Amino acid sequence: MKKLLLIFILTSLLFSCRTQQDVLYLQNIDNIDFSKENYQSPEIQVGDVLTIMVSAYDEDLAKPFNLGGNNTTGIRQGTSELSSTSYLVDSEGYIEYPMLGSIQVAGKTRKELAEDLKNRISNYIKDPMVNIRIVNFEVTMLGEFNSQGVVKSASERLNIFEAIANSGGMSFYAIRDSVLIIRSENGKRKHDYVNLHDANIMNSEYYYLKQNDILYALPTKSRATEFNTRPLTSTLTVIGFITAIITLFR
């Protein structure tokens, strides 16, 4: 019995042993050139929810362009309240916009869409201002994060470490040099693995996340071993209990 327990303990220690190098992020950061930031505004996708606010010097003229949509909320600017209306991008990549009709928005950035709307609305009012936000920007965190689930962001400028922090960090058992990212772009899915030990991630296209990205932190072999040895642990517990009972009634 003692030999069996000793073998089990030594095996557990062997598989659970991890070094500092296994858990540190950005290990070579002193050798990386960060002179250029690799950020690109995400493109609007099918299923996105956009808030669009149109304003002008004469707010009464702008009101017809802030009606309709899926929901309307008030936003205070100075002493006046402006309307912000949300629009769901349909399966074809369009929204139905008041006064302008059906407009294709998928594949455009917020800046590109704002410029497009300004040009269209300029036919009706002078010098319109258009503000657009993606309000359902979120990413999904799976696997060895301390808090799995959906991370929602008020900003579309969300980097991978912010998302990890919002998930409670990575568990001790997470493989940090091979984190899977699944991304949808232009109706197609692609995937890649990123190494969080390597500071070059900050120059990668995956450093800034895009809406609906899925991150999966794979478990180490010791994590899998932990699950596999649970039946053995239960068996040893039962054996220990029976042994104690026999010893007690001798």
Side-chain angles (χ1 to χ4, degrees), residues 41-46 48 89 92-94 104-110 112-113 185-187 211:
S41 296
E43 295 179 347
I44 297 167
Q45 299 180 10
V46 169
D48 282 350
V89 182
E92 301 298 322
Y94 287 80
Q104 184 173 12
V105 298
K108 297 178 180 178
T109 64
R110 288 189 306 114
E112 290 169 343
L113 178 57
E185 288 184 327
N186 301 319
Q211 66 268 45

PDB file of all heavy atoms in Angstrom, residues 41-46 48 89 92-94 104-110 112-113 185-187 211:
ATOM      1  N   SER A  41      -8.522  48.970 -38.123  1.00  0.00           N
ATOM      2  CA  SER A  41      -9.916  49.016 -37.681  1.00  0.00           C
ATOM      3  C   SER A  41     -10.661  47.798 -38.214  1.00  0.00           C
ATOM      4  O   SER A  41     -10.543  47.465 -39.399  1.00  0.00           O
ATOM      5  CB  SER A  41     -10.597  50.292 -38.186  1.00  0.00           C
ATOM      6  OG  SER A  41     -10.000  51.428 -37.616  1.00  0.00           O
ATOM      7  N   PRO A  42     -11.419  47.119 -37.363  1.00  0.00           N
ATOM      8  CA  PRO A  42     -12.143  45.929 -37.831  1.00  0.00           C
ATOM      9  C   PRO A  42     -13.233  46.299 -38.823  1.00  0.00           C
ATOM     10  O   PRO A  42     -13.824  47.381 -38.751  1.00  0.00           O
ATOM     11  CB  PRO A  42     -12.740  45.355 -36.540  1.00  0.00           C
ATOM     12  CG  PRO A  42     -12.826  46.513 -35.611  1.00  0.00           C
ATOM     13  CD  PRO A  42     -11.665  47.393 -35.938  1.00  0.00           C
ATOM     14  N   GLU A  43     -13.477  45.402 -39.745  1.00  0.00           N
ATOM     15  CA  GLU A  43     -14.549  45.607 -40.710  1.00  0.00           C
ATOM     16  C   GLU A  43     -15.877  45.163 -40.105  1.00  0.00           C
ATOM     17  O   GLU A  43     -15.934  44.234 -39.298  1.00  0.00           O
ATOM     18  CB  GLU A  43     -14.266  44.819 -41.986  1.00  0.00           C
ATOM     19  CG  GLU A  43     -13.033  45.306 -42.741  1.00  0.00           C
ATOM     20  CD  GLU A  43     -12.759  44.487 -43.990  1.00  0.00           C
ATOM     21  OE1 GLU A  43     -13.379  43.401 -44.133  1.00  0.00           O
ATOM     22  OE2 GLU A  43     -11.939  44.918 -44.814  1.00  0.00           O
ATOM     23  N   ILE A  44     -16.926  45.835 -40.494  1.00  0.00           N
ATOM     24  CA  ILE A  44     -18.270  45.489 -40.031  1.00  0.00           C
ATOM     25  C   ILE A  44     -18.655  44.136 -40.620  1.00  0.00           C
ATOM     26  O   ILE A  44     -18.396  43.854 -41.794  1.00  0.00           O
ATOM     27  CB  ILE A  44     -19.267  46.582 -40.445  1.00  0.00           C
ATOM     28  CG1 ILE A  44     -18.892  47.904 -39.753  1.00  0.00           C
ATOM     29  CG2 ILE A  44     -20.695  46.183 -40.112  1.00  0.00           C
ATOM     30  CD1 ILE A  44     -19.612  49.111 -40.317  1.00  0.00           C
ATOM     31  N   GLN A  45     -19.277  43.295 -39.789  1.00  0.00           N
ATOM     32  CA  GLN A  45     -19.628  41.941 -40.200  1.00  0.00           C
ATOM     33  C   GLN A  45     -21.129  41.708 -40.069  1.00  0.00           C
ATOM     34  O   GLN A  45     -21.835  42.440 -39.370  1.00  0.00           O
ATOM     35  CB  GLN A  45     -18.894  40.914 -39.332  1.00  0.00           C
ATOM     36  CG  GLN A  45     -17.390  40.982 -39.398  1.00  0.00           C
ATOM     37  CD  GLN A  45     -16.736  39.945 -38.508  1.00  0.00           C
ATOM     38  OE1 GLN A  45     -17.395  39.044 -37.978  1.00  0.00           O
ATOM     39  NE2 GLN A  45     -15.438  40.059 -38.329  1.00  0.00           N
ATOM     40  N   VAL A  46     -21.583  40.649 -40.741  1.00  0.00           N
ATOM     41  CA  VAL A  46     -22.968  40.196 -40.580  1.00  0.00           C
ATOM     42  C   VAL A  46     -23.216  39.884 -39.107  1.00  0.00           C
ATOM     43  O   VAL A  46     -22.391  39.255 -38.442  1.00  0.00           O
ATOM     44  CB  VAL A  46     -23.228  38.943 -41.442  1.00  0.00           C
ATOM     45  CG1 VAL A  46     -24.574  38.307 -41.087  1.00  0.00           C
ATOM     46  CG2 VAL A  46     -23.177  39.294 -42.919  1.00  0.00           C
ATOM     47  N   ASP A  48     -23.405  42.141 -36.722  1.00  0.00           N
ATOM     48  CA  ASP A  48     -22.997  43.263 -35.876  1.00  0.00           C
ATOM     49  C   ASP A  48     -24.191  44.174 -35.595  1.00  0.00           C
ATOM     50  O   ASP A  48     -25.113  44.286 -36.413  1.00  0.00           O
ATOM     51  CB  ASP A  48     -21.895  44.085 -36.552  1.00  0.00           C
ATOM     52  CG  ASP A  48     -20.528  43.428 -36.458  1.00  0.00           C
ATOM     53  OD1 ASP A  48     -20.399  42.443 -35.708  1.00  0.00           O
ATOM     54  OD2 ASP A  48     -19.600  43.890 -37.140  1.00  0.00           O
ATOM     55  N   VAL A  89     -26.970  44.310 -38.643  1.00  0.00           N
ATOM     56  CA  VAL A  89     -26.519  43.988 -39.999  1.00  0.00           C
ATOM     57  C   VAL A  89     -27.100  42.631 -40.379  1.00  0.00           C
ATOM     58  O   VAL A  89     -26.851  41.622 -39.708  1.00  0.00           O
ATOM     59  CB  VAL A  89     -24.978  43.955 -40.079  1.00  0.00           C
ATOM     60  CG1 VAL A  89     -24.531  43.664 -41.509  1.00  0.00           C
ATOM     61  CG2 VAL A  89     -24.389  45.272 -39.589  1.00  0.00           C
ATOM     62  N   GLU A  92     -27.283  39.437 -45.362  1.00  0.00           N
ATOM     63  CA  GLU A  92     -26.706  39.849 -46.641  1.00  0.00           C
ATOM     64  C   GLU A  92     -25.718  41.000 -46.478  1.00  0.00           C
ATOM     65  O   GLU A  92     -25.128  41.460 -47.458  1.00  0.00           O
ATOM     66  CB  GLU A  92     -27.824  40.265 -47.610  1.00  0.00           C
ATOM     67  CG  GLU A  92     -28.835  39.166 -47.896  1.00  0.00           C
ATOM     68  CD  GLU A  92     -28.199  37.964 -48.567  1.00  0.00           C
ATOM     69  OE1 GLU A  92     -27.305  38.169 -49.416  1.00  0.00           O
ATOM     70  OE2 GLU A  92     -28.589  36.828 -48.247  1.00  0.00           O
ATOM     71  N   GLY A  93     -25.562  41.481 -45.232  1.00  0.00           N
ATOM     72  CA  GLY A  93     -24.610  42.562 -44.981  1.00  0.00           C
ATOM     73  C   GLY A  93     -25.193  43.955 -45.119  1.00  0.00           C
ATOM     74  O   GLY A  93     -24.445  44.929 -45.246  1.00  0.00           O
ATOM     75  N   TYR A  94     -26.529  44.070 -45.058  1.00  0.00           N
ATOM     76  CA  TYR A  94     -27.196  45.358 -45.241  1.00  0.00           C
ATOM     77  C   TYR A  94     -27.887  45.818 -43.954  1.00  0.00           C
ATOM     78  O   TYR A  94     -28.196  45.013 -43.068  1.00  0.00           O
ATOM     79  CB  TYR A  94     -28.260  45.257 -46.344  1.00  0.00           C
ATOM     80  CG  TYR A  94     -27.703  45.163 -47.742  1.00  0.00           C
ATOM     81  CD1 TYR A  94     -27.235  43.948 -48.239  1.00  0.00           C
ATOM     82  CD2 TYR A  94     -27.645  46.281 -48.575  1.00  0.00           C
ATOM     83  CE1 TYR A  94     -26.723  43.847 -49.531  1.00  0.00           C
ATOM     84  CE2 TYR A  94     -27.142  46.190 -49.867  1.00  0.00           C
ATOM     85  CZ  TYR A  94     -26.682  44.976 -50.336  1.00  0.00           C
ATOM     86  OH  TYR A  94     -26.172  44.879 -51.616  1.00  0.00           O
ATOM     87  N   GLN A 104     -25.493  48.693 -47.999  1.00  0.00           N
ATOM     88  CA  GLN A 104     -24.543  47.624 -47.694  1.00  0.00           C
ATOM     89  C   GLN A 104     -23.449  48.170 -46.774  1.00  0.00           C
ATOM     90  O   GLN A 104     -22.799  49.166 -47.082  1.00  0.00           O
ATOM     91  CB  GLN A 104     -23.908  47.064 -48.965  1.00  0.00           C
ATOM     92  CG  GLN A 104     -22.992  45.879 -48.683  1.00  0.00           C
ATOM     93  CD  GLN A 104     -22.497  45.211 -49.950  1.00  0.00           C
ATOM     94  OE1 GLN A 104     -22.646  45.758 -51.038  1.00  0.00           O
ATOM     95  NE2 GLN A 104     -21.925  44.027 -49.812  1.00  0.00           N
ATOM     96  N   VAL A 105     -23.252  47.494 -45.638  1.00  0.00           N
ATOM     97  CA  VAL A 105     -22.276  47.972 -44.655  1.00  0.00           C
ATOM     98  C   VAL A 105     -21.195  46.939 -44.357  1.00  0.00           C
ATOM     99  O   VAL A 105     -20.091  47.300 -43.926  1.00  0.00           O
ATOM    100  CB  VAL A 105     -22.980  48.379 -43.339  1.00  0.00           C
ATOM    101  CG1 VAL A 105     -23.959  49.520 -43.589  1.00  0.00           C
ATOM    102  CG2 VAL A 105     -23.698  47.191 -42.701  1.00  0.00           C
ATOM    103  N   ALA A 106     -21.486  45.661 -44.544  1.00  0.00           N
ATOM    104  CA  ALA A 106     -20.508  44.616 -44.241  1.00  0.00           C
ATOM    105  C   ALA A 106     -19.269  44.784 -45.114  1.00  0.00           C
ATOM    106  O   ALA A 106     -19.369  45.063 -46.312  1.00  0.00           O
ATOM    107  CB  ALA A 106     -21.119  43.235 -44.454  1.00  0.00           C
ATOM    108  N   GLY A 107     -18.109  44.631 -44.498  1.00  0.00           N
ATOM    109  CA  GLY A 107     -16.852  44.779 -45.222  1.00  0.00           C
ATOM    110  C   GLY A 107     -16.264  46.171 -45.139  1.00  0.00           C
ATOM    111  O   GLY A 107     -15.122  46.391 -45.543  1.00  0.00           O
ATOM    112  N   LYS A 108     -17.027  47.121 -44.596  1.00  0.00           N
ATOM    113  CA  LYS A 108     -16.528  48.486 -44.433  1.00  0.00           C
ATOM    114  C   LYS A 108     -16.086  48.706 -42.990  1.00  0.00           C
ATOM    115  O   LYS A 108     -16.615  48.090 -42.065  1.00  0.00           O
ATOM    116  CB  LYS A 108     -17.618  49.506 -44.779  1.00  0.00           C
ATOM    117  CG  LYS A 108     -18.088  49.458 -46.225  1.00  0.00           C
ATOM    118  CD  LYS A 108     -19.200  50.468 -46.464  1.00  0.00           C
ATOM    119  CE  LYS A 108     -19.680  50.415 -47.916  1.00  0.00           C
ATOM    120  NZ  LYS A 108     -20.797  51.354 -48.172  1.00  0.00           N
ATOM    121  N   THR A 109     -15.134  49.602 -42.799  1.00  0.00           N
ATOM    122  CA  THR A 109     -14.785  50.018 -41.442  1.00  0.00           C
ATOM    123  C   THR A 109     -15.784  51.086 -40.997  1.00  0.00           C
ATOM    124  O   THR A 109     -16.553  51.624 -41.813  1.00  0.00           O
ATOM    125  CB  THR A 109     -13.365  50.598 -41.383  1.00  0.00           C
ATOM    126  OG1 THR A 109     -13.316  51.797 -42.175  1.00  0.00           O
ATOM    127  CG2 THR A 109     -12.346  49.598 -41.918  1.00  0.00           C
ATOM    128  N   ARG A 110     -15.760  51.410 -39.711  1.00  0.00           N
ATOM    129  CA  ARG A 110     -16.653  52.464 -39.217  1.00  0.00           C
ATOM    130  C   ARG A 110     -16.389  53.784 -39.944  1.00  0.00           C
ATOM    131  O   ARG A 110     -17.316  54.516 -40.298  1.00  0.00           O
ATOM    132  CB  ARG A 110     -16.458  52.659 -37.712  1.00  0.00           C
ATOM    133  CG  ARG A 110     -17.004  51.552 -36.852  1.00  0.00           C
ATOM    134  CD  ARG A 110     -16.971  51.921 -35.380  1.00  0.00           C
ATOM    135  NE  ARG A 110     -15.654  52.322 -34.929  1.00  0.00           N
ATOM    136  CZ  ARG A 110     -15.335  53.542 -34.517  1.00  0.00           C
ATOM    137  NH1 ARG A 110     -16.232  54.508 -34.535  1.00  0.00           N
ATOM    138  NH2 ARG A 110     -14.108  53.810 -34.095  1.00  0.00           N
ATOM    139  N   GLU A 112     -15.136  54.260 -42.955  1.00  0.00           N
ATOM    140  CA  GLU A 112     -15.607  54.200 -44.345  1.00  0.00           C
ATOM    141  C   GLU A 112     -17.123  54.342 -44.418  1.00  0.00           C
ATOM    142  O   GLU A 112     -17.650  55.043 -45.293  1.00  0.00           O
ATOM    143  CB  GLU A 112     -15.163  52.882 -44.983  1.00  0.00           C
ATOM    144  CG  GLU A 112     -13.660  52.798 -45.224  1.00  0.00           C
ATOM    145  CD  GLU A 112     -13.198  51.413 -45.614  1.00  0.00           C
ATOM    146  OE1 GLU A 112     -13.960  50.441 -45.401  1.00  0.00           O
ATOM    147  OE2 GLU A 112     -12.065  51.285 -46.120  1.00  0.00           O
ATOM    148  N   LEU A 113     -17.825  53.685 -43.500  1.00  0.00           N
ATOM    149  CA  LEU A 113     -19.284  53.785 -43.505  1.00  0.00           C
ATOM    150  C   LEU A 113     -19.731  55.196 -43.136  1.00  0.00           C
ATOM    151  O   LEU A 113     -20.676  55.733 -43.735  1.00  0.00           O
ATOM    152  CB  LEU A 113     -19.887  52.769 -42.536  1.00  0.00           C
ATOM    153  CG  LEU A 113     -21.414  52.809 -42.411  1.00  0.00           C
ATOM    154  CD1 LEU A 113     -22.087  52.603 -43.768  1.00  0.00           C
ATOM    155  CD2 LEU A 113     -21.899  51.767 -41.407  1.00  0.00           C
ATOM    156  N   GLU A 185     -13.767  36.229 -41.278  1.00  0.00           N
ATOM    157  CA  GLU A 185     -13.573  37.420 -42.102  1.00  0.00           C
ATOM    158  C   GLU A 185     -14.204  37.200 -43.463  1.00  0.00           C
ATOM    159  O   GLU A 185     -13.950  36.184 -44.113  1.00  0.00           O
ATOM    160  CB  GLU A 185     -12.083  37.737 -42.271  1.00  0.00           C
ATOM    161  CG  GLU A 185     -11.417  38.286 -41.022  1.00  0.00           C
ATOM    162  CD  GLU A 185      -9.972  38.671 -41.263  1.00  0.00           C
ATOM    163  OE1 GLU A 185      -9.300  38.014 -42.090  1.00  0.00           O
ATOM    164  OE2 GLU A 185      -9.514  39.634 -40.637  1.00  0.00           O
ATOM    165  N   ASN A 186     -15.038  38.151 -43.868  1.00  0.00           N
ATOM    166  CA  ASN A 186     -15.692  38.084 -45.178  1.00  0.00           C
ATOM    167  C   ASN A 186     -16.433  36.767 -45.387  1.00  0.00           C
ATOM    168  O   ASN A 186     -16.401  36.176 -46.469  1.00  0.00           O
ATOM    169  CB  ASN A 186     -14.661  38.288 -46.297  1.00  0.00           C
ATOM    170  CG  ASN A 186     -13.941  39.614 -46.188  1.00  0.00           C
ATOM    171  OD1 ASN A 186     -14.551  40.630 -45.886  1.00  0.00           O
ATOM    172  ND2 ASN A 186     -12.631  39.601 -46.422  1.00  0.00           N
ATOM    173  N   GLY A 187     -17.077  36.300 -44.324  1.00  0.00           N
ATOM    174  CA  GLY A 187     -17.863  35.079 -44.422  1.00  0.00           C
ATOM    175  C   GLY A 187     -17.052  33.800 -44.396  1.00  0.00           C
ATOM    176  O   GLY A 187     -17.609  32.710 -44.571  1.00  0.00           O
ATOM    177  N   GLN A 211     -14.093  41.391 -33.631  1.00  0.00           N
ATOM    178  CA  GLN A 211     -15.344  40.920 -33.067  1.00  0.00           C
ATOM    179  C   GLN A 211     -15.601  39.470 -33.467  1.00  0.00           C
ATOM    180  O   GLN A 211     -15.321  39.049 -34.580  1.00  0.00           O
ATOM    181  CB  GLN A 211     -16.525  41.818 -33.469  1.00  0.00           C
ATOM    182  CG  GLN A 211     -16.888  41.842 -34.948  1.00  0.00           C
ATOM    183  CD  GLN A 211     -16.188  42.934 -35.710  1.00  0.00           C
ATOM    184  OE1 GLN A 211     -14.994  43.130 -35.536  1.00  0.00           O
ATOM    185  NE2 GLN A 211     -16.914  43.632 -36.565  1.00  0.00           N
TER     186      GLN A 211
END
